[in-house]
Amino acid sequence: MTALVLQITDAGRAAMVDPAGGTRTVRIASAGLTAATFIAAPTLEALPGEFKRLDTVSGQAVAPDTVHLTLRDSGTDAYAVRGFGLYLEDGTLFAVYGQADAILEKAAAATFYLAIDWTLAAADVAAITFGDTTFLNPPATEQVAGVAQLATIAEALGGLVADKMITPATMAQVLAGYVNAAQLGAAGGVATLGEDGKLAVEQRPAIDLIDVWPVADQAAMLAKADATVGDFAVRADNGLVYVLQALPPSTLANWLEITTPSPVGSVNGKVGAVVLNAGDVGAVPSGRKVQTSGGLLSGGGTLAGDLTLSLTAASAAEAAAGAAGDKVLTPASLATILATLAAKANGAATVSAGGLLTGGGALSGNPTISLAAASAAEILAGTEAGKAVTPAGLAGLPKSLTPNGLWTFPGGLKLMWVQVRQLINTERVITVAYPDSFASFVVPLALVGWNNAFSISRDLWLQFVGDPGLSSCTIQTQSDDGQDMRLDGFNALFLGV
């Protein structure tokens, strides 16, 4: 898990300072949740847009600079969380964290359970305690009991993963291939390979070469006293081959006669004096013909002999005349036509390029006309005057078509929008961060309130506070009589560079 960096507030840092000197221990007792997009600044004294406070907060130091933090909510309400804050026992906002995208979303039937690793300075870790540790699930280490992942067979055999555990079943498979060093190269043990990757010479058995003995007859075969198991004897008297299966070679029963294939017993299922016809073997009858039907081909005949099919080539003169209908063109005859066409072209004429086009040249060669395409960066800069804009180049301009997104136009002009969905039921000030930052100026185009249901009595509207910044702006809600103040969210639209 990647550790998060929470912003400790100025008030939280002051609570850790002992007036007598040194650091004082603080106790985190609760956590607030918000769906608002805000900047986690150290000057915050309350969590912007907080809609719920949880006292089910648990934490434990799992490393000198890391605290494992767990938040839980088993209620039946549904919501999205983009940030949270940690409160001390006296209600002081100790630390905050927020991001533009939702950290998680809770359904009514689900339990909210957020477990993160929080990185701090070692001295800060030692000074922080928690009110409840009954449901904490920290990552397991050699010093901390917690949650650990099981290693696969491949990881166990590799022996390189240091943060996973091995089960008895996995260990059994690892040990199944284990060989004790004392058994390597030992009698009754396991053979080993030399530096050349082959079986060591001293561990190889003696190789008995197989011999083939030409012999005159059975008596000569039985007299081969130096024959070994696996040797062959080829007898001249009966033309058969024998292999020695056991010693001694002087015993006839130790020689096995090798059976040779029997003569052909049938042909295509027929025995006796076999006469085959074309139908017996699926052959084409010799009376079958190959014919040509008009067109440019000629020849053919029956399959009783060799066949010839003809295709006549037109001469250069016939190709130029264009009158022969029963002959075909060849490269040689076509060259005459091409040469005639080439002689009619004006080789001194040129093709020129102007405007955004480049290239050209004389028709005596192969002139090339080019039109360069502008890149997304060149389109965004808006200064390149010698290239064309393509759909691919426009598609490469920065954009994010999401509820909180942006669209960049050629030349760098940006259109950004922010969609906030949270209950607002009081006059308040809200900080809104843009999906991206403007470089030089920003103009707010629209600020529209949003309700999820029709109401004729709701009395709360939105206003910009001051000029918007390049990365965020401030919005306030107002009511004329303080009656039924409610909005379920709002949308804002900005234009700038």
Side-chain angles (χ1 to χ4, degrees), residues 192-209:
T192 59
L193 300 180
E195 294 182 356
D196 58 356
K198 300 179 181 179
L199 185 65
V201 175
E202 61 272 13
Q203 299 178 37
R204 302 176 190 172
I207 298 176
D208 182 14
L209 298 177

Side-chain angles (χ1 to χ4, degrees), residues 289-302 306-312:
K289 295 181 179 180
V290 174
Q291 298 175 321
T292 60
S293 177
L296 303 179
L297 283 175
S298 62
T302 67
D306 296 333
L307 301 179
T308 300
L309 299 177
S310 299
L311 184 62
T312 304

Side-chain angles (χ1 to χ4, degrees), residues 79 115 138 182-183 292 310 338 350 372 386 430 458 479:
Y79 51 78
Q183 294 181 295
T292 60
S310 299
L338 295 178
T350 61
I430 302 171
R458 291 185 181 179
S479 173

Side-chain angles (χ1 to χ4, degrees), residues 102-124:
I103 300 173
L104 57 78
E105 296 185 4
K106 179 185 178 301
T111 295
F112 173 96
Y113 192 87
L114 177 62
I116 63 171
D117 284 339
W118 174 17
T119 179
L120 305 98
D124 292 340

Side-chain angles (χ1 to χ4, degrees), residues 8 17 20 41 62 69-70 131 185 230 234 303 320 330 341 352 363 380 393 399 409 421 453:
I8 298 179
V17 177
V62 294
L69 178 66
T70 303
V234 182
L303 297 179
T330 64
L341 293 176
S352 301
L363 291 179
L380 188 62
K399 60 181 177 293
F409 297 95
R421 295 293 182 265

Side-chain angles (χ1 to χ4, degrees), residues 295-296 323-327:
L296 303 179
D326 58 351
K327 299 181 181 181

